[in-house]
């Protein structure tokens, strides 16, 4: 199974990538030869499958991308890098241009594209409109009416109108006008039926039929609209107040009823919040919102539509009561520069809350728990809502000692049911403006990366205000992502501090819950220390014995930047240590002569006050992996009835990086089985970069696939392995005499029976022929005269009837690449077979060339009809395919049962069909017939 041990070498196997896109799946049309682009048409909901066939060595990496449509789309990672792009149930939005890009580092990437056009047709919609100048409340009577039909489609839709069973066309009825499709910005392409001054016969059923002419098998779609003298646009009424003010937790029901409209309108509910609440319930025209919350407040609209006129819409606003965010501030006498509160001066206390609805907000003031009313010295006001909504003020004129105490601001909503908010403010001799300082030793603050740090500003004064923290050195967000963070105790805590957080931080007093004076502020410096960042973090160094190895560890950044020392280790054994040279940013360790003890993991630790950065080097003599060559011309070199052989080819990646490769270990196992077969392939001499090695695998069982593993071996031992799958397929681009099918084996050389014909070809031999066979027709043996030999034939006995067809289809053959071995471009192939056409009722034998991407084959490349005598004859046809192809042999039944047609010994050879050798020419005559580009040799 593993194969023979010969290894062949060829130079210059490296090649830049090339790509070609082929298609399968459910295409309904592919335009291959357009000058500007290839277009692949597919019906929405079908499966798109595009395969990128790639050549090049090393094996190119493939990536699919898409543009057009809306914006550039990306696929799931699982499909981006596959050779085959598979999209199940394709959507219309997935149409556009698809690109396959292949690159392997040689030359420029290879890129091919194909445009995918997704076809679809939605159900049409008919809308009815009355002439604007004549519109009244309802009923279309003796008025002009427009019926507009719209259907989303690709390709453009074709419309037709029917009134009952009558087809309406322009000019068929003087009372009817039809506007041909035109484009409107809102509705796309449309077609309008105009009924001028409605007549009694115009009250009828109108059907609009939308058609895309059955492209991709898409059937026509239609819609029916019944026009009567009661047809009217919708009208509705909301049985609720506007606005609706409720407390949170209550259930709200909105009732909408129709008051007019024919056909009966359909009611829907929409919200200003884009979507209805998740817990909402819609039943008929009633929308129920259970246990409503503040987030669900907004405008709710009932919309009625019956496709007549414009939809009707009624709205109401739901307001959910709420009180939140209570705060205060103290404003000293504005006529004095001193921010302190002093006897004999004015002081103002302000209180603010957020209230919904704001018009229900009420404030009351208490002093030391007792109600306080507005007076000449105690003035209570409410700020203009446009300036500062939800704000009340208490102005104390000519402050006296007896005015000291606790003032309470109480906010409430008139409707009740919402908890009040109370805010206490103490006014006394100890009420003083705030001051901010940074504690000694807290700036600059030095921390190590990953620590938890606390930046601290001491705030004095009474009451203590909220402290706002922000970056002082740059416009950058704070650790939580916001531009400003609040602190009630003056401390900013940062967990898991990082080096990017180094800088200046500003602490600043807020006016809220404190004095409404110029903000006090201070700055704290934060310095984050971190260990050296080094490169490489990890690298593998492959080297042969006796060669030098230089290991270099480079410092990229560190704080503090003064690096203290370094140390080199091999498997935790100290090799060298010392102080880091401040003039350089790297340290080296040199192995002058690598020996076996020198293989292993080397680490370099570069250390500063914050810790250590580590470079790791894996020094090894392991060989790089081989790179399989996937572009082997005709890899199927052995094709026997039950087994096949495969030509395995590869190059070696960086063969000179380590010791000489002395052998390869080849492992092979049949897919689905566990057991591996292994053998060593010896290598004589050194391998050069780019040399192509060949090993023939033999005795592989048809049609099984195999996993092949190849591992290079040096003095170090085994190197990195590479795995590929070897798959059997029918011979592709066979050399002379390599594809030769005699039908002796049951698989019949991967030929298949056409599923769309009338009957099948039969594999047969004279030795097993039924004694009741039809006489005077068919062969008495195979092409070689053997009664045990097999051939294919069509049995024309009953129930077959005249004209019935049987088609036998070959496997796919790929067109040879440009000039691989001097082959002309486009390449020529000689297709040959033997035929036997004996009997008075012989019909026709046709040979077709079917190329990939073509929906059907063209006319036959060869055809013959009628009785040709009781003997085998040979035909050869030169064909010139431009894409992957198959050959099709079609037998057509004649007028009676004595019409059996047989074929045998099918061959496909590269190159034009040639004349027979002289020895054969003396024994047979040849007629040469030219049919277009096909050359026929009829050998008798």
């Amino acid at each position: 199974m593993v194969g023979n041990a010969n290894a062949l070498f060829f130079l210059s196997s490296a090649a830049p990538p090339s790509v070609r896109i082929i298609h399968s799946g459910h295409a309904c049309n592919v335009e291959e030869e357009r000058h500007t682009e290839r277009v692949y048409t597919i019906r929405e909901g079908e499966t798109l499958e595009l395969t990128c066939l790639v050549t090049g060595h090393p094996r190119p990496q493939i990536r699919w991308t898409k543009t057009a449509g809306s914006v550039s789309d990306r696929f799931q990672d699982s499909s981006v890098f596959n050779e085959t792009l598979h999209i199940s149930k394709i959507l219309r939005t997935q149409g556009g241009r698809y690109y396959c890009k292949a690159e392997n580092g040689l030359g420029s990437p290879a890129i091919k594209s194909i445009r995918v056009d997704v076809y679809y047709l939605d159900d049409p919609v008919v809308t009815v409109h009355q002439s604007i100048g004549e519109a009244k409340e309802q009923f279309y009577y003796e008025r002009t009416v427009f019926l507009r039909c719209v259907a989303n489609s690709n390709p453009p839709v074709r419309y037709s109108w029917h009134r009952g069973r009558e087809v309406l066309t322009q000019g068929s009825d003087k009372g009817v006008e039809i506007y041909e499709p035109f484009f409107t910005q809102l509705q796309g392409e449309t077609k309008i039926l105009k009924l001028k001054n409605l007549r009694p016969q115009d009250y009828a059923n109108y059907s609009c039929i939308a058609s895309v002419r059955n492209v991709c098998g898409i059937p026509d779609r239609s819609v029916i609209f019944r026009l009567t003298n009661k047809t009217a646009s919708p009208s509705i009424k909301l049985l609720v107040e506007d606005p609706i003010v409720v407390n949170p937790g209550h259930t709200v029901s909105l009732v909408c009823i129709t008051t007019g409209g024919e056909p009966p309108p359909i009611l829907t509910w929409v919200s200003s919040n884009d979507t209805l609440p998740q817990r909402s319930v819609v039943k008929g025209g009633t929308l129920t919102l259970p246990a409503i919350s503040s987030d669900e407040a907004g405008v709710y609209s009932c919309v009625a539509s019956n496709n007549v006129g414009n939809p009707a819409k009624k709205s109401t606003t739901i307001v959910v009561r709420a009180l939140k965010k209570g705060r205060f501030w103290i404003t000293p006498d504005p006529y004095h520069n001193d921010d302190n509160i002093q006897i004999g001066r004015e002081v103002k206390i302000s209180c603010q809350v957020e209230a919904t609805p704001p018009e229900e907000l009420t404030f009351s003031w208490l002093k030391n728990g007792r109600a306080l009313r507005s007076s000449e010295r105690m003035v209570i006001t409410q700020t203009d809502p446009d300036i500062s909504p939800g704000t009340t003020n208490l102005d104390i004129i000519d402050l006296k000692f007896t005015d000291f105490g606790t003032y309470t601001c109480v906010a409430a909503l008139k409707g009740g049911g919402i908890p009040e908010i109370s805010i206490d403010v103490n006014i006394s001799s100890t009420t003083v403006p705030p001051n901010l300082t940074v504690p000694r030793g807290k700036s600059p603050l030095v921390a190590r990366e990953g620590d938890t740090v606390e930046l601290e500003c001491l705030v004095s004064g009474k009451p203590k205000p909220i402290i706002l923290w922000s970056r002082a050195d740059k416009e950058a967000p704070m650790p939580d992502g916001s531009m400003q963070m609040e602190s009630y105790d003056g401390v900013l805590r940062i967990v898991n501090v990082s080096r990017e957080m180094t800088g200046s931080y500003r602490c600043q007093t807020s006016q809220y819950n404190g004095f409404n004076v110029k903000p006090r502020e201070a700055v704290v410096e934060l310095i984050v220390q971190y260990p050296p960042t080094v490169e490489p973090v990890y690298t593998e160094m492959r080297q042969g014995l006796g060669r030098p190895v230089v290991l270099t560890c480079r410092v990229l950044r560190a704080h503090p930047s003064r690096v203290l020392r370094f140390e080199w280790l091999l498997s935790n054994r100290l090799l060298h240590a010392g102080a880091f040279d401040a003039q350089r940013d790297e340290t080296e360790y040199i192995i002058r002569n690598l020996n076996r003890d020198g293989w292993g993991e080397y680490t370099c630790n570069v250390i500063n006050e914050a810790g250590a950065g580590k470079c790791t080097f894996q020094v090894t003599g392991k060989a790089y992996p081989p790179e399989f060559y996937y572009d082997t011309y005709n890899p199927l070199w052995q094709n026997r009835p039950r087994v096949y052989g495969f030509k395995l080819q590869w190059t070696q990646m960086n063969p000179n990086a380590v010791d000489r490769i002395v052998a390869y270990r080849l492992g092979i196992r049949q897919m689905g089985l566990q057991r591996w077969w292994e053998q060593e392939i010896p290598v004589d001499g050194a391998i050069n970069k780019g040399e192509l090695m060949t090993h023939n695998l033999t005795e592989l069982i048809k049609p099984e696939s195999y996993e092949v593993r190849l591992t290079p071996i040096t003095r170090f031992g085994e190197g990195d392995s590479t795995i590929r799958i070897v798959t059997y397929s029918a011979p592709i681009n066979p050399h002379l005499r390599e594809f030769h099918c005699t039908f002796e084996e049951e698989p019949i050389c991967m030929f298949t029976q056409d599923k769309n014909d009338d009957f099948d070809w039969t594999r047969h031999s004279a030795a097993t022929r039924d004694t009741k066979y039809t006489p005077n027709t068919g062969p008495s043996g195979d092409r070689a005269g053997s009664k045990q030999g097999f051939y294919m034939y069509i049995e024309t006995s009953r129930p077959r009837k005249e004209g019935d067809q049987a088609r036998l289809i070959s496997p796919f053959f790929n067109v040879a690449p440009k000039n691989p071995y001097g082959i002309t471009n486009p390449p020529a192939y000689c297709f040959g077979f033997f035929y036997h056409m004996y009997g008075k009722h012989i019909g026709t034998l046709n040979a077709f060339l079917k190329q990939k991407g073509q929906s059907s084959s063209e006319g036959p490349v060869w055809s013959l009809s009628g009785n040709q005598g009781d003997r085998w004859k040979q035909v050869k046809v030169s064909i010139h395919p431009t894409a992957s192809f198959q050959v099709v042999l079609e037998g057509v039944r004649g007028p009676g049962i004595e019409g059996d047609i047989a074929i045998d010994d099918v061959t496909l050879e590269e190159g034009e069909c040639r004349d027979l050798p002289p020895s054969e020419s003396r024994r047979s005559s040849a007629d040469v017939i030219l049919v277009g580009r096909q050359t026929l040799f009829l050998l008798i």
Side-chain angles (χ1 to χ4, degrees), residues 169-191:
T169 58
Q170 183 65 29
S172 64
D173 185 332
K174 291 184 179 180
V176 174
E177 286 186 19
I178 298 177
Y179 301 156
E180 286 305 311
F182 65 93
F183 191 83
T184 64
Q185 187 172 4
L186 294 178
Q187 294 178 302
E189 191 180 82
T190 182
K191 189 167 188 175

Side-chain angles (χ1 to χ4, degrees), residues 278-499:
Q278 190 172 359
R279 294 176 295 116
S280 63
V281 178
V282 178
K283 187 175 182 180
T286 301
L287 170 66
T288 303
L289 305 173
I292 197 166
S293 65
S294 296
D295 295 337
E296 295 168 347
V299 178
Y300 288 80
S301 303
C302 175
V303 180
S305 176
N306 65 351
N307 292 339
V308 179
N310 295 319
K313 183 177 180 180
K314 296 285 185 179
S315 303
T316 186
T317 302
I318 297 179
V319 178
V320 180
R321 290 188 178 92
L323 278 178
K324 54 186 177 181
K325 286 192 177 178
R327 50 198 180 186
F328 73 92
W329 58 92
I330 301 170
T331 305
D333 193 330
Y335 299 105
H336 294 81
N337 292 328
D338 189 356
D339 291 339
N340 290 297
I341 296 176
Q342 295 186 16
I343 299 294
R345 294 184 182 177
E346 179 182 339
V347 62
K348 181 166 70 173
I349 305 171
S350 300
C351 174
Q352 184 183 63
V353 296
E354 290 185 9
T356 304
E359 61 270 16
E360 289 191 8
L361 176 63
T362 62
F363 285 109
S364 58
W365 286 90
L366 306 176
K367 178 186 177 185
N368 297 328
R370 300 178 64 182
L372 188 66
R373 298 185 180 278
S374 185
S375 63
E376 291 184 359
R377 263 194 350 98
M378 298 279 186
V379 181
I380 298 173
T381 60
Q382 197 147 335
T383 306
D384 187 337
D386 294 333
I387 299 174
S388 182
T391 305
T392 181
N393 307 296
L394 172 62
D395 263 308
I396 304 176
I397 311 298
D398 187 16
L399 182 67
K400 300 182 182 299
F401 181 79
T402 55
D403 294 331
F404 288 164
T406 299
Y407 292 84
T408 303
C409 160
V410 180
L413 292 180
K414 294 177 182 177
I418 303 297
E420 298 176 339
I421 291 181
S422 297
I423 303 170
D424 292 333
V425 183
N426 188 265
I427 300 295
S428 68
S429 58
T430 60
T431 303
V432 293
N435 191 32
L436 277 182
T437 57
V438 178
R440 180 171 298 183
K442 291 293 187 177
S443 182
L445 183 64
V446 179
R448 292 191 177 183
E449 194 168 39
D451 289 350
T452 296
V453 298
E454 291 186 347
L455 309 187
E456 188 176 354
C457 280
L458 289 178
V459 55
S460 60
K462 187 179 179 182
K464 288 185 178 180
I466 297 171
I467 302 299
L468 304 177
W469 285 92
S470 60
R471 293 295 291 260
D473 53 345
K474 55 185 175 181
E475 192 74 19
M478 295 293 286
D480 69 347
S482 65
M483 297 304 294
Q484 202 172 60
M485 293 176 66
E486 291 186 352
S487 168
Y488 289 87
D489 59 359
V491 175
L492 174 64
R493 177 185 292 265
I494 304 176
V495 179
N496 194 21
V497 69
S498 65
R499 63 192 68 180

Side-chain angles (χ1 to χ4, degrees), residues 589-652:
Y589 184 77
I590 300 175
I591 306 170
R592 303 194 181 278
N593 191 342
L594 182 64
N595 56 32
R596 292 182 180 274
D597 294 335
W599 283 323
E601 184 176 273
Y602 291 76
T603 55
C604 174
N605 295 321
V606 183
I607 305 162
N608 70 355
E609 295 177 13
K614 183 167 73 170
C615 295
T616 301
F617 304 85
Q618 186 69 41
V619 178
T620 177
K622 180 189 292 188
Y624 285 96
E627 296 176 306
F628 281 117
Y629 187 67
Y630 286 84
D631 301 332
T632 303
Y633 187 70
N634 185 32
L636 193 69
W637 66 274
Q638 178 196 55
N639 187 28
R640 302 212 306 270
R642 292 183 176 83
V643 298
Y644 68 101
F646 193 88
K647 188 184 298 180
L648 191 69
Q649 293 187 301
W650 70 92
T651 60
Q652 177 60 43

Side-chain angles (χ1 to χ4, degrees), residues 758-759 761 794 796 801-807 837 841-846 848 863-865 889-895 899 901:
D758 302 307
F759 66 112
W761 287 80
I794 61 169
T796 57
K801 57 183 182 295
E802 186 173 4
D804 281 1
Q805 301 168 343
R807 284 186 290 273
M837 300 172 67
H841 299 140
I842 290 292
T844 302
L845 179 60
N846 297 316
F848 295 92
S863 181
L864 189 63
S865 300
L889 290 164
E890 178 186 70
V892 183
R893 202 257 197 187
I901 298 174

Side-chain angles (χ1 to χ4, degrees), residues 26 65 111 177 237 311 492 520 532 612 619 768 785 798 809 844 906 925:
H26 298 137
T65 56
I111 301 176
E177 286 186 19
K237 183 178 181 181
L492 174 64
R520 276 54 167 167
V619 178
T768 59
R798 294 181 181 85
I809 304 175
T844 302
V906 179
S925 59

Side-chain angles (χ1 to χ4, degrees), residues 610-917:
K614 183 167 73 170
C615 295
T616 301
F617 304 85
Q618 186 69 41
V619 178
T620 177
K622 180 189 292 188
Y624 285 96
E627 296 176 306
F628 281 117
Y629 187 67
Y630 286 84
D631 301 332
T632 303
Y633 187 70
N634 185 32
L636 193 69
W637 66 274
Q638 178 196 55
N639 187 28
R640 302 212 306 270
R642 292 183 176 83
V643 298
Y644 68 101
F646 193 88
K647 188 184 298 180
L648 191 69
Q649 293 187 301
W650 70 92
T651 60
Q652 177 60 43
M653 181 190 296
N654 300 332
N656 300 318
V658 295
D659 292 326
R660 184 178 75 83
I661 294 171
V662 296
Y664 285 94
R665 177 166 287 114
L666 174 69
I668 183 169
R669 72 178 180 94
Q670 184 177 320
M671 297 297 290
L673 302 182
Q674 297 297 321
R675 184 176 180 182
W676 284 86
W677 296 86
E678 290 192 340
Q679 77 171 81
E680 283 196 4
I681 305 172
V683 176
D684 297 326
I687 300 174
N688 293 322
K689 186 176 179 64
E691 284 188 342
L692 192 64
M693 285 159 278
T694 300
H695 181 80
N696 291 330
L697 304 175
T698 62
E699 303 300 317
L700 305 178
I701 300 171
K702 288 184 179 180
E704 301 297 336
S705 297
Y706 292 84
E707 186 175 3
V708 178
R709 181 177 62 210
L710 199 60
T711 309
I713 301 173
T714 64
R715 287 191 292 174
F716 173 84
E718 292 190 355
D720 290 336
S721 300
T722 300
I723 290 178
R724 70 161 292 180
I725 305 298
V726 169
T727 303
Y728 173 77
S729 61
I732 297 175
N733 302 328
H735 286 295
L736 189 63
R737 292 184 301 279
E738 285 197 346
F739 184 80
H740 182 192
C741 185
T742 62
F743 303 112
E744 297 302 318
E745 299 293 332
E746 184 59 44
I748 60 173
C749 312
M750 304 301 288
F751 273 86
T752 56
Q753 307 278 0
D754 191 345
K755 296 180 180 178
N756 297 317
D757 56 7
D758 302 307
F759 66 112
D760 288 345
W761 287 80
T762 303
R763 178 172 169 267
H764 198 61
S765 73
T768 59
R769 184 167 59 184
D770 192 335
T771 57
K772 298 180 181 179
Y773 76 95
T774 306
N776 304 317
T777 187
S780 57
D782 71 356
R783 196 276 302 181
S786 169
K787 292 189 180 297
Q788 281 73 36
F790 283 84
Y791 53 87
M792 302 294 291
Y793 88 110
I794 61 169
E795 171 60 63
T796 57
S797 300
R798 294 181 181 85
R800 302 275 66 85
K801 57 183 182 295
E802 186 173 4
D804 281 1
Q805 301 168 343
R807 284 186 290 273
L808 195 63
I809 304 175
S810 78
F812 264 108
F813 297 92
N814 281 353
V815 172
K818 295 181 180 179
N819 301 318
Y821 296 108
I823 297 173
T824 58
N825 185 40
Y829 296 91
C830 184
F831 169 51
F833 59 93
F834 283 81
Y835 63 89
H836 189 283
M837 300 172 67
Y838 168 56
K840 65 181 180 181
H841 299 140
I842 290 292
T844 302
L845 179 60
N846 297 316
F848 295 92
L849 172 67
K850 183 179 179 182
Q851 301 193 62
K852 193 157 191 175
Q854 292 180 347
S855 57
S856 61
S857 57
E858 299 176 354
V861 297
W862 179 86
S863 181
L864 189 63
S865 300
N867 187 359
Q868 304 297 316
D870 188 9
R871 57 176 170 166
W872 286 95
K873 299 180 182 180
Q874 186 181 20
V875 62
K876 288 189 175 183
V877 186
S878 290
I879 56 176
H880 303 84
T882 58
S884 300
F885 66 95
Q886 296 168 292
V887 289
V888 181
L889 290 164
E890 178 186 70
V892 183
R893 202 257 197 187
I897 63 173
E898 295 181 20
D900 294 354
I901 298 174
I903 58 171
D904 202 359
D905 284 15
V906 179
T907 60
L908 187 66
E909 305 170 353
E910 285 179 353
E912 300 280 356
C913 294
R914 297 184 294 276
D915 291 334
L916 286 175

